Amino acid sequence: MTDEATAKRNILVLTGAQALGAASPPIIISLGGIVGQTLSSVPALATLPVSLYNLGLAMGTIPAAMIMRRMGRRTGYLIGAGIGVFSGLVATLGIVGATFLIFCLGTLMAGFYGAYVQSYRFAAADAAAGPLKAKAISWVMVGGLAAAVIGPQLVIWTRDALPAAPFAGSFLSQAALALLALPVLMLLRAPRPAADSSAQAGGRPLGEIMRTPRFMLAVAAGVVSYGLMSFVMTASPMAMVGCGFTVGEAALGIQWHVLAMFAPSFFTGNLIARYGKEKITALGLILIATSGVVALAGLELGNFYISLILLGLGWNFGFIGATAMITDCHTPEERGKVQGANDFLVFGTVAVASFSSGSLLTSTGWEAVNWMIFPIVGAVLLPLTWQILRKGRRTAA
């Protein structure tokens, strides 16, 4: 099998694994705050389960990178899926036993699984070359389109599966999704661990790479795209229920949001190839800011849905564009440590954003959550625009 054929096979496998793995976050995000309200006696801690998911995602990035470097991507991904199965069972036990701490432990562990799922995009890019790199990232993210349907629909279908423990069935289905991912990941054809680890050992020191302006801007774009998306999305279901809408309507809002996150992946890679990584990333940031404008315009169901859709579209362009920018910041020898550092910084910020989202919503309201978007977007959009203009002048010269 040729290198290109192997790359395309891996893309297909990782897309299927993404469809299953990326279906877990919508379940946690749709129900984490609502279950938290039921199990916790402190209202400000209601979104803690969602925040702990994001914390687990951040904490898991470096260990996941180390395990995959030593044991290979396929073995690492199988370990990750095993953690995913266990996390769903623990969260279910927390709900059945009405124990907030155990439920939080389950969502924290789900974040460790998510750290592996998030690296699927890099695994696809590693096997590809030339223009196929950006397209590979985009194609794998298409798996999230299926996840956008699977996750919220499982919430709707299984939330009352165990009448004595509402929503426990949804987290049990989360474990089932990770279990289904195991045979899919067995089909992955990744480099041998020994060869991969030796290749990762060389290159520049990580500190030197992290101080380069290109790396800092790429990470900042990823941090803002993902951080703001998580910040607003975490608060959205609680805000919708607080405005009188049902749990089902909130879950559908998250479904539309996740569909918007991944549907553009069919053509995002082509847009990046045509217009450039920086321009598509900038477009994503503008769409995120626009979502805040719509959210501030009213509290109707349509405002929530349109805002969440724009937020998802902005995340897709911003995050995939920033990921493609990161691939320009390292050599093959440096990719493991650079990708791990990038994900740690991105998802560490996402965890902080998620923690602050719940308390900000409780203390100051939905409007304050959305007003936070504009200065943060502006702080990255300005230097990104300057880089786009400078690149354009260099090309014209």
Side-chain angles (χ1 to χ4, degrees):
M1 186 178 288
T2 66
D3 289 344
E4 184 175 352
T6 300
K8 290 181 177 179
R9 172 196 172 95
N10 284 344
I11 290 169
L12 184 62
V13 170
L14 292 165
T15 300
Q18 178 84 9
L20 296 167
S24 291
I27 295 173
I28 296 168
I29 291 161
S30 296
L31 297 178
I34 295 168
V35 173
Q37 282 181 319
T38 304
L39 299 182
S40 173
S41 58
V42 182
L45 295 180
T47 60
L48 181 62
V50 180
S51 301
L52 287 173
Y53 167 79
N54 290 311
L55 179 63
L57 191 56
M59 291 171 58
T61 53
I62 301 300
M66 292 173 63
I67 288 171
M68 288 185 285
R69 188 185 306 175
R70 181 178 294 272
M71 305 177 70
R73 286 205 185 268
R74 185 174 70 170
T75 301
Y77 289 154
L78 291 172
I79 291 171
I83 294 171
V85 174
F86 194 55
S87 70
L89 295 176
V90 171
T92 303
L93 181 63
I95 297 174
V96 172
T99 306
F100 185 59
L101 182 61
I102 294 178
F103 178 66
C104 287
L105 178 61
T107 61
L108 176 69
M109 293 176 61
F112 293 144
Y113 173 37
Y116 290 91
V117 175
Q118 287 294 337
S119 74
Y120 292 166
R121 70 194 195 282
F122 284 128
D126 288 348
L132 187 58
K133 270 190 178 293
K135 292 180 180 179
I137 296 169
S138 185
W139 289 343
V140 168
M141 300 298 273
V142 168
L145 186 61
V149 176
I150 294 170
Q153 287 302 317
L154 279 175
V155 169
I156 294 169
W157 295 337
T158 62
R159 61 187 178 185
D160 297 319
L162 301 174
F167 309 120
S170 299
F171 286 89
L172 195 59
S173 68
Q174 177 194 329
L177 289 172
L179 186 64
L180 289 173
L182 287 168
V184 175
L185 290 165
M186 286 292 294
L187 301 174
L188 187 67
R189 296 290 178 264
R192 291 183 177 182
D196 193 53
S197 63
S198 63
Q200 305 286 341
R204 296 166 293 169
L206 180 59
E208 179 183 336
I209 299 169
M210 292 177 68
R211 288 192 296 270
T212 61
R214 177 182 294 182
F215 178 85
M216 288 190 288
L217 184 57
V219 169
V223 162
V224 169
S225 299
Y226 215 125
L228 283 177
M229 184 277 294
S230 176
F231 182 72
V232 177
M233 182 176 62
T234 300
S236 293
M238 289 179 62
M240 292 177 72
V241 172
C243 288
F245 301 109
T246 67
V247 172
E249 287 171 325
L252 285 175
I254 295 299
Q255 178 172 344
W256 281 111
H257 167 71
V258 181
L259 281 169
M261 285 173 65
F262 294 104
S265 298
F266 285 109
F267 53 82
T268 304
N270 290 327
L271 290 175
I272 289 173
R274 181 171 181 179
Y275 297 106
K277 308 171 184 68
E278 293 82 2
K279 289 182 180 178
I280 299 305
T281 304
L283 175 61
L285 294 173
I286 292 168
L287 286 169
I288 290 172
T290 306
S291 75
V293 174
V294 173
L296 290 167
L299 296 175
E300 300 298 323
L301 189 62
N303 291 89
F304 281 105
Y305 281 8
I306 294 171
S307 174
L308 284 168
I309 288 169
L310 289 171
L311 186 67
L313 292 172
W315 174 86
N316 182 279
F317 293 136
F319 187 60
I320 293 180
T323 299
M325 289 170 66
I326 285 291
T327 63
D328 287 341
C329 298
H330 61 74
T331 65
E333 293 78 16
E334 299 163 348
R335 67 189 178 197
K337 55 190 176 186
V338 172
Q339 291 169 5
N342 173 74
D343 277 3
F344 177 76
L345 292 169
V346 169
F347 298 118
T349 305
V350 167
V352 173
S354 181
F355 273 108
S356 59
S357 178
S359 59
L360 187 64
L361 177 67
T362 303
S363 61
T364 60
W366 175 240
E367 286 191 356
V369 169
N370 286 280
W371 276 114
M372 289 287 292
I373 293 174
F374 307 116
I376 297 173
V377 165
V380 176
L381 190 58
L382 286 175
L384 187 59
T385 302
W386 180 79
Q387 181 168 310
I388 292 168
L389 294 174
R390 189 178 67 166
K391 193 174 182 179
R393 287 195 298 268
R394 192 185 306 128
T395 304

